[in-house]
Amino acid sequence: MKMKKFLSMGIVLGLLMGMLSGCGNNQEVQTGEAENGAAVINVGYVTGSYPLSYEDEDGNLTGYELETLKLVDEQLDDYVFKYSSAAQDALYTGLSTGMYDLIVTNSFYTKERAEKYILPENPLGASLVGIVTDIDRTDIQGFEDAAKAGLSLAPILAGDGLYYVVDQYNEGHPEQTIALEATDNGDAFMNSISWVAEGRYDFAVWPKNYWEQVVAAQDGSLHQYYDQVQFIECKSVYTYSVIAAGEDEFAAAVSEALGNLYDDGTLKRLSEQFYGYDAFAYDNE
């Protein structure tokens, strides 16, 4: 069975990016140049973003997103991928100005992103998302429990992918919604952990990979709250490659290749390899 078409269901996120073996970090590439008859696709990624895109012990770039793109490239005979790295903001600027054709930044769906760029119908990956709440709570296992209990949710930055995750839940559960407050506070995501620990709000929504690196890890910047709050995983949220506007034919080819990798179990295997768990675990919800 072909992978379900997630965007057509209207869901959603943006938060925590390939490379061909032996390539340098900052290749100089020219959009549109041809190589052996194949169209060159300039791919931008953020390096040093474990486990999505980073250097291994031998100095080779790897990671979930990069290894997935390599496999996509193998399926597309009419295209050849060239990779270069930049800061996340610069990647989006480059995508708008023609420097890049495709970028990967662990991108969740957002309305604004979908309007400005192309998000292929089939996703690149998934992120496990969960609820951060008081460590002594035993009555909450997911969004539905939080909604029924009337728990207060810490504000989420307007336009952030996590905002759309909760909004999508509310759309599907109009009889019992979560009060969703948007904020322009750029520190709201990181501050939400202390807000929950202090009792200012009942829960926050976080991706599991951030929880593990920022709170659970002993050297995490918010590890001081680890004995006060808990993370309850409850939802798989798709992440997308982001393609320049107008590249519809290329986007369709990428989507088909990603669908093949999903159907044959490759995306799940890569997820387990790089995350240590199946990020698609709640894929059927």
Side-chain angles (χ1 to χ4, degrees), residues 85-142:
S85 62
Q88 181 162 312
D89 289 348
L91 290 178
Y92 280 98
T93 299
L95 193 63
S96 298
T97 60
M99 181 176 181
Y100 300 111
D101 302 298
L102 178 155
I103 62 172
V104 285
T105 65
N106 196 44
S107 301
F108 284 30
Y109 174 93
T110 69
K111 178 182 176 182
E112 295 79 6
R113 190 171 285 150
E115 289 175 346
K116 191 170 184 179
Y117 310 108
I118 301 175
L119 304 184
E121 195 163 23
N122 285 322
L124 180 73
S127 177
L128 276 184
V129 169
I131 285 174
V132 177
T133 189
D134 184 272
I135 198 166
D136 294 324
R137 290 203 81 110
T138 59
D139 58 331
I140 305 300
Q141 297 301 314

Side-chain angles (χ1 to χ4, degrees), residues 131-141 151 193 195-199 201-204 211 215-216 223-232:
I131 285 174
V132 177
T133 189
D134 184 272
I135 198 166
D136 294 324
R137 290 203 81 110
T138 59
D139 58 331
I140 305 300
Q141 297 301 314
L151 300 190
I193 296 295
W195 290 343
V196 172
E198 295 161 2
Y201 296 96
D202 295 319
F203 76 106
W211 165 264
V215 184
H223 185 68
Q224 67 195 84
Y225 299 107
Y226 186 61
D227 60 353
Q228 300 175 56
V229 294
Q230 61 178 316
F231 178 85
I232 303 166

Side-chain angles (χ1 to χ4, degrees), residues 73-95:
D73 190 14
E74 288 180 5
Q75 295 186 54
L76 306 184
D77 294 338
D78 293 334
Y79 304 95
V80 58
F81 289 8
K82 299 288 187 178
Y83 300 84
S84 59
S85 62
Q88 181 162 312
D89 289 348
L91 290 178
Y92 280 98
T93 299
L95 193 63

